[in-house]
Amino acid sequence: MKRSKWIIFLLVLALMATACSTTSESEVTTTTADGSGASSTTQATTTTAAVSETSSTTEATPTPALEGVDLTLWGWSSSDAENSALSDLVAQFSADTGANAEFQAQAEFDVALQAALASGAPPDVFYVDSFKLPDLADAGVLAPVPDGALSDPDDIYPSLRNAFTFNGTWYCPPKDFSTLALVYDPDALAAAGVDVPTTWDELEAAAATLTTGDVAAIAAGDAQAGLTMGVEYPRWAVFLFQAGAALTDDAVTKITLDNDAARTALQFVADQYAAGSFIKPQAVDAGWAGEAFGQGKAAMTIEGNWIVGYLQDAFPDKNFAVAELPAGPAGMGTFAFTVCYGVAKDAKNPDASWAFVEYLTNAKGSLAWTNAFNVMPARKSVSADWIASHPDLNAFVAGSAYAHRWGFVPGFNDVVGVFNENAEGIVDGTASVDDLITKVTQAGEDVLH
């Protein structure tokens, strides 16, 4: 998919957000987990996946008899809150159809799915990340979407359909999508006299001011860092975009890191870790950045919509707000992530599998899921309702206007692995920015040529 098409979709969505909400940014960026924040205008979203009366305009083919049919959905989760919300929707599917469906979160999802596909016993439905779609489609293990299996497929944003289209074949409908934004603790910023940063300079100054101790003190809960962020390409890349750089060209034919813009971005990130104002969550005994932020070990983090449900569930007293990521020397930049519901080419009951997918992704299911877990819906017909009911999450929607797609070509995971390995080296002091650029460029040439 060309980036231009992706950007067109994102611009359309951003315009919809603007049209549907008259609330100013300053009014919507502060909220509490229970919706009682001083300037929040909404109540907390429900954690029950209640299905609305929204209807699609083109019905799918009649649902096959599902009474007593066992169905499993495999995926991963960011939190118990996500497991609970999706399990509620799956339980509603079982109640409505008579099927015995179950969501099973896999701790080692990629390993488990690969083994299941190789053994010829795949789950009935499973998550497919847009990054992994090319590999799975190229391996011939995915079933294309059958004609008539999904209601009103044109209601799905074209660019999200394209994210799951490989060599002209559409393989699976998107579950939802998310962007990365700056999640911060308003109380911590107010106590330090720090405004929400809007530029790299402001971010550097804010993170330094908000940092109150070293890693040992932060891990012990006696201090906080300015910002916690995973040491990985999906987080560091937003700084590349903000500097006007990218890992590859638009067509993913070559690595494009060997330039001043990329060095500026990577060195900026490296300097913040070296100064101690950025920390990786594992350094302070947290599993991921959302957990470190919830524990009060950092005043800011860079995460997607999934953090909202997690914080509401795991840290219900945590005060937090969301803002767009600070701009770099070339402007704004973020990532958009999406996952689809896939069906294996050798699924044991494909008609039942696709009926399950239809339930989860039609207009009713899409709105129920995204209201339950705060990610953004993939269908045009329900986006306006979602945006109107989530003004406190407007920063995630605003980022859609300049977000980059998460996806490359088959085999590119190795290149991202080299990036992550060298990023860890930079943070640990065993690698330099030039080391990362050199090794990632070589790894990319091995995959792309």
Side-chain angles (χ1 to χ4, degrees):
M1 184 187 70
K2 299 293 187 182
R3 180 180 297 175
S4 58
K5 294 180 178 179
W6 178 253
I7 294 300
I8 289 171
F9 150 65
L10 297 170
L11 285 169
V12 169
L13 186 59
L15 289 171
M16 290 176 60
T18 302
C20 294
S21 175
T22 57
T23 311
S24 70
E25 180 178 316
S26 62
E27 291 174 315
V28 301
T29 53
T30 300
T31 186
T32 57
D34 63 357
S36 61
S39 55
S40 174
T41 58
T42 62
Q43 297 299 310
T45 54
T46 179
T47 56
T48 301
V51 177
S52 81
E53 295 302 319
T54 304
S55 62
S56 58
T57 57
T58 304
E59 297 298 329
T61 52
T63 303
L66 296 173
E67 185 73 32
V69 175
D70 294 327
L71 291 166
T72 56
L73 165 61
W74 279 17
W76 60 85
S77 71
S78 63
S79 64
D80 290 341
E82 180 174 2
N83 292 350
S84 178
L86 186 51
S87 293
D88 285 347
L89 184 57
V90 171
Q92 189 63 51
F93 167 76
S94 295
D96 290 347
T97 64
N100 301 313
E102 182 182 9
F103 171 59
Q104 299 175 353
Q106 303 295 312
E108 299 290 339
F109 177 82
D110 289 340
V111 175
L113 181 62
Q114 186 175 12
L117 292 170
S119 69
D124 299 287
V125 178
F126 49 89
Y127 287 8
V128 177
D129 189 289
S130 62
F131 183 83
K132 298 290 180 63
L133 187 281
D135 289 294
L136 293 172
D138 193 50
V141 298
L142 292 178
V145 177
D147 290 341
L150 304 178
S151 57
D152 201 6
D154 290 342
D155 186 35
I156 299 171
Y157 287 109
S159 291
L160 291 181
R161 284 183 55 172
N162 287 342
F164 298 108
T165 298
F166 181 73
N167 287 342
T169 299
W170 181 35
Y171 283 96
C172 43
K175 167 175 168 279
D176 51 50
F177 79 103
S178 303
T179 62
L180 293 177
L182 184 72
V183 181
Y184 64 94
D185 180 343
D187 298 331
L189 269 64
V194 171
D195 294 329
V196 178
T198 60
T199 67
W200 280 12
D201 288 343
E202 291 178 4
L203 176 63
E204 182 174 27
T209 300
L210 289 163
T211 301
T212 58
D214 61 18
V215 170
I218 295 168
D222 297 329
Q224 70 178 12
L227 184 143
T228 182
M229 180 176 70
V231 181
E232 57 184 4
Y233 173 73
R235 298 298 179 280
W236 286 34
V238 299
F239 292 92
L240 290 173
F241 303 147
Q242 293 158 10
L247 179 54
T248 73
D249 61 352
D250 287 351
V252 197
T253 61
K254 63 181 180 181
I255 302 296
T256 55
L257 279 182
D258 192 2
N259 54 68
D260 291 343
R263 284 186 174 82
T264 296
L266 295 171
Q267 193 60 57
F268 175 81
V269 177
D271 289 346
Q272 309 317 307
Y273 282 99
S277 52
F278 282 19
I279 56 166
K280 60 180 182 180
Q282 293 78 15
V284 292
D285 299 328
W288 67 294
E291 182 180 12
F293 176 80
Q295 292 172 337
K297 293 177 177 176
M300 302 181 289
T301 187
I302 293 175
E303 284 296 336
N305 308 46
W306 52 81
I307 195 174
V308 176
Y310 169 76
L311 291 173
Q312 290 173 342
D313 182 66
F315 301 95
D317 296 325
K318 180 72 177 180
N319 192 14
F320 66 93
V322 184
E324 292 181 72
L325 294 177
M332 309 294 281
T334 189
F335 250 136
F337 301 98
T338 182
V339 170
C340 75
Y341 289 116
V343 174
K345 188 176 182 180
D346 56 354
K348 66 179 183 296
N349 192 342
D351 289 344
S353 293
W354 284 112
F356 193 12
V357 173
E358 154 64 12
Y359 187 95
L360 297 172
T361 63
N362 64 24
K364 296 176 182 177
S366 178
L367 187 59
W369 164 243
T370 54
N371 273 338
F373 197 61
N374 296 304
V375 285
M376 294 181 285
R379 285 184 173 269
K380 292 175 282 188
S381 64
V382 299
S383 287
D385 287 344
W386 188 91
I387 292 167
S389 61
H390 296 78
D392 51 319
L393 304 182
N394 193 48
F396 289 117
V397 179
S400 301
Y402 44 81
H404 292 243
R405 176 197 174 198
W406 172 238
F408 294 100
V409 296
F412 205 80
N413 192 49
D414 291 345
V415 182
V416 174
V418 172
F419 186 104
N420 293 343
E421 178 182 346
N422 283 274
E424 284 281 0
I426 290 173
V427 173
D428 294 341
T430 59
S432 68
V433 166
D434 280 336
D435 290 337
L436 184 150
I437 290 173
T438 298
K439 293 179 180 178
V440 171
T441 300
Q442 181 59 56
E445 289 177 352
D446 292 343
V447 170
L448 300 176
H449 300 289

